[in-house]
Amino acid sequence: MIRLLPLAALLAMAGCARQAPAPPPSAPATTPETQAAAPPQGNAPASTPAPATQSETEQAKASQESAGAATEHQAHSDASLEKIATLPPGAQLPAGRWKPGVNYDPVVPAQPTNVAPGKIEVMEVFWLGCPHCYDLEPLIKAWLKTKPAYVEFVRVHVMWQPVHRAHAKLYYTLESLGRPELFEKAFETIHQLGQRGEPMLIGSSDEETFKVQQRFAVQNGVSAADFAKAYNSFTVNTQLQRAEELTQRYRVQGVPFIAVNGKYATDVVKAGGEAKLIDLINDLVAAEHSH
């Protein structure tokens, strides 16, 4: 039985990192960072004030959660995992605004997509508990209203730790029930609970998590029986397996993460901000469509 509550209590601090945070010590440790953040006391000299405004890069980093340096050193025994390589000049975007290896990375070998012929896939890997994914959502919704008809947008829930898997099961269950509006409701509810420091639609065990999520569904018009049937269905389990595979194959280290047509990978930091990420997606899509 997987214990989830300790993770839930730390989600607001953990952000959207792949590595689960260690439990905090009984007394907060003093670090150079906390010393710098603490206000001066007594006659101690005040630290140098932080700049009044963030640079564009700093703002972008604040909108993108990374997976933690430790994961970069993990061994990858699966030879099918994605390898990032330099794109040949002919496959790059036209010189100018976007630079390969800086604003986007080629995925080599390119991955098969799950869309109809003639369609271009834009895939977002996200987490229902990620505040940065939540902040990006209004821009995604606006883009979906204006995107070209040949673009198909798909979401994949990240599958890092038990808490991410618990939220993924809720997401794919709601998707299986054909209630897309409940995705937005779950996203909003989890975000609000996280802001209050409360468990984000998860419990202290797998069984308790099921009950909490079932109660959420019932409160939003889904019968308890229908939720339980979908929750334990072959369809949902298949979607979870696919999400697990894609999380590993794309080596997703932070969310929100964007992949265009299985060939390009980017995120908020690489693009330089949320609005620029949408612009970059449009340019990558247009380049793919012209090939």
Side-chain angles (χ1 to χ4, degrees), residues 39-47:
Q41 299 180 3
N43 295 323
S47 58

Side-chain angles (χ1 to χ4, degrees), residues 65-251:
E65 290 292 346
S66 62
T71 60
E72 296 179 4
H73 302 290
Q74 292 178 339
H76 297 278
S77 57
D78 186 354
S80 68
L81 291 175
E82 301 301 337
K83 301 291 190 293
I84 299 301
T86 302
L87 276 177
Q92 297 177 13
L93 292 181
R97 186 173 186 184
W98 312 113
K99 297 180 180 179
V102 176
N103 302 121
Y104 64 95
D105 292 313
V107 177
V108 180
Q111 288 301 296
T113 60
N114 193 30
V115 296
K119 293 281 189 176
I120 292 176
E121 180 189 83
V122 174
M123 180 179 73
E124 179 197 18
V125 183
F126 78 108
W127 171 32
L128 278 175
C130 171
H132 308 294
C133 300
Y134 184 81
D135 290 342
L136 181 64
E137 184 62 18
L139 280 79
I140 293 290
K141 289 177 64 176
W143 172 75
L144 288 174
K145 296 177 181 179
T146 61
K147 70 173 181 62
Y150 58 78
V151 172
E152 186 165 334
F153 179 67
V154 298
R155 297 185 197 268
V156 174
H157 200 288
V158 77
M159 298 282 284
W160 288 328
Q161 302 290 337
V163 65
H164 306 109
R165 292 181 174 88
H167 282 155
K169 194 159 189 179
L170 172 62
Y171 169 68
Y172 289 115
T173 298
L174 297 177
E175 186 178 68
S176 175
L177 288 166
R179 296 289 302 275
E181 76 280 6
L182 290 189
F183 160 72
E184 295 184 8
K185 183 66 175 179
F187 217 167
E188 180 181 0
T189 299
I190 288 172
H191 177 72
Q192 292 173 347
L193 290 170
Q195 286 188 319
R196 297 198 297 265
E198 299 177 19
M200 303 196 305
L201 293 185
I202 57 175
S204 59
S205 66
D206 291 340
E207 293 79 6
E208 183 61 26
T209 292
F210 166 72
K211 292 178 181 178
V212 168
Q213 295 181 355
Q214 184 184 50
R215 184 159 54 247
F216 163 81
V218 170
Q219 290 171 347
N220 288 279
V222 178
S223 75
D226 285 347
F227 182 84
K229 182 178 179 180
Y231 192 86
N232 296 301
S233 68
F234 175 79
T235 298
V236 168
N237 287 330
T238 299
Q239 293 283 16
L240 291 169
Q241 291 173 7
R242 178 174 178 269
E244 184 82 54
E245 179 182 355
L246 290 173
T247 296
Q248 294 179 4
R249 290 183 64 82
Y250 280 91
R251 293 188 178 183

